[in-house]
Amino acid sequence: MQDVREALYVGSRSDGTLIRRPMSPHLQVYKMRLSMFLSISNRITGVAATAGSALGVAWLAALAKGPKSFASARRITAHPLGQLILAGWIFSLVWHTVGGLRHFIWDAGQRDDKKSVNEDGPVAVGVIAGVGVTLAVALLGVSCCRAHGRAKLRKAS
Amino acid sequence: MNAPVSPRHDVMRSQLGRARGLGSGHSGTGHWIAERVSAATLLPLSGWFVVQMFRLGGADYEDVAKWGGKPLNATMLSALVISSFYHAEVGLQVIVDDYVHGKAHVPAKFGVRFVTGLLGLLGVVAVLKLALGRPASKA
C-alpha cells in the first residue's frame, strides 16, 4: 500500500478478512459536457504551452550561441512542420490564457454558478478560436513575408 | 479489476488511522496563490512578447541578437522566462499530484521541478549572454 488514500478503499468481510472495496464508476457515467472539456483542456494546453516554451528557450539558446546555430533554428521554424508546431504553441497559449482568465473571474466570485458557466463556455470557445487563429496567421504570415523580403533584398544586393 | 485483493499492512496502525488527519498539508494556499500571481505576471509579459515577435518575426540574426542585447528587452525576456517556468513548475506539480500515484509520485514531482528549473535557467543564461557578452561571431 503506497498511497494513504488507498486506506479508504479497505473494507472487511464478515469473517474479518480484508478486501479492497470496488470503486464506483465516476468519469464514464457522465456525458462529456463543454465545461468538462474546457476544464481538462486547460490542463492539456498548459502542458503543451510548457513544451512549446521549452522550444522557445531552445531558440533563445541558439540565438545566444551564435549565427550558425541561429540559422539551424531558423531552418526548423521555417519548415512546414516547425510552422505547424509554432501555430500549435500559439494556439495552446491562447487557449490556456483564456482558461486562466476565466479562473480569475471565478476567483473573484463572479460568473461561477452553473448557468453562467454554461453561458460563458461557448463564448470562451469563440474567443479562443478567433484570437488563436488571428494571432497564429498574423504572426506566422508577418514573419514569413519579412523573411522572404529580406532574402530577396540580399539576393539583389 | 475488483477481484478481492488482500491489502497488506505495513504497520500495526489501521489504514484509516493513517489516512485520517491528512486532509490538509497546510501549504496549499501558498501554492494556489503562487499559481495565480505568476499567471497575472505572465499576462503583461506575454503581451509584450507577442508585440516584440510581430516586430521581429523573420528578422536576421544580427537584428535579433541586437534586440536581445538591449537592457530593457533582456530584462523583460528573463522576467518572461522566469515567470513562465515558475508557473509551469507550479502547474505541472498539481497535475503530478492528481494523476501520478504510488512509487512514481515523488520522482515525478522531483523531475518536474528539475526540468522546469533547468529550462528556466537555460533561458536566463541565454538572455544574459546576449545582454552582457558578444556571442562568438566569426565576422
Side-chain angles (χ1 to χ4, degrees), chain A residues 41-62:
Chain A
S41 67
N42 197 41
R43 284 203 157 173
I44 295 167
T45 50
V47 175
T50 305
S53 302
L55 295 175
V57 162
W59 175 81
L60 264 181

Side-chain angles (χ1 to χ4, degrees), chain A residues 43 74 107 146 150 154, chain B residues 36 55 59-60 63 98:
Chain A
R43 284 203 157 173
R74 159 78 36 94
D107 293 343
R146 193 175 289 146
R150 299 264 166 136
R154 231 174 289 129
Chain B
R36 312 289 139 156
R55 288 180 50 198
D60 290 328
D63 294 334
D98 282 355

Side-chain angles (χ1 to χ4, degrees), chain B residues 45-64:
Chain B
L45 290 175
S46 317
W48 169 84
F49 188 69
V50 168
V51 172
Q52 296 304 309
M53 283 302 107
F54 268 114
R55 288 180 50 198
L56 216 63
D60 290 328
Y61 166 78
E62 285 301 329
D63 294 334
V64 184

Side-chain angles (χ1 to χ4, degrees), chain A:
Chain A
M1 206 165 293
Q2 299 294 333
D3 196 319
V4 283
R5 279 168 290 194
E6 293 262 321
L8 297 168
Y9 281 119
V10 178
S12 55
R13 290 209 186 90
S14 51
D15 64 358
T17 52
L18 292 172
I19 51 159
R20 192 181 195 281
R21 293 190 289 122
M23 185 190 280
S24 352
H26 46 100
L27 282 178
Q28 62 270 41
V29 297
Y30 293 105
K31 197 170 86 181
M32 190 62 140
R33 293 179 63 89
L34 184 61
S35 55
M36 291 167 76
F37 171 71
L38 286 176
S39 171
I40 189 61
S41 67
N42 197 41
R43 284 203 157 173
I44 295 167
T45 50
V47 175
T50 305
S53 302
L55 295 175
V57 162
W59 175 81
L60 264 181
L63 174 65
K65 204 164 172 230
K68 255 191 187 160
S69 39
F70 188 72
S72 317
R74 159 78 36 94
R75 266 195 298 281
I76 294 168
T77 50
H79 192 272
L81 198 66
Q83 294 271 300
L84 194 70
I85 290 171
L86 274 176
W89 184 34
I90 295 168
F91 216 75
S92 49
L93 277 174
V94 169
W95 195 312
H96 193 72
T97 304
V98 171
L101 286 172
R102 289 187 83 201
H103 272 280
F104 276 136
I105 296 169
W106 294 328
D107 293 343
Q110 304 290 319
R111 314 280 308 156
D112 54 359
D113 57 299
K114 196 174 154 191
K115 189 168 164 280
S116 312
V117 167
N118 285 334
E119 278 170 7
D120 295 351
V123 178
V125 172
V127 172
I128 291 165
V131 175
V133 169
T134 311
L135 207 59
V137 168
L139 257 177
L140 296 180
V142 163
S143 309
C144 199
C145 283
R146 193 175 289 146
H148 277 295
R150 299 264 166 136
K152 227 180 252 170
L153 216 76
R154 231 174 289 129
K155 227 178 239 173
S157 63

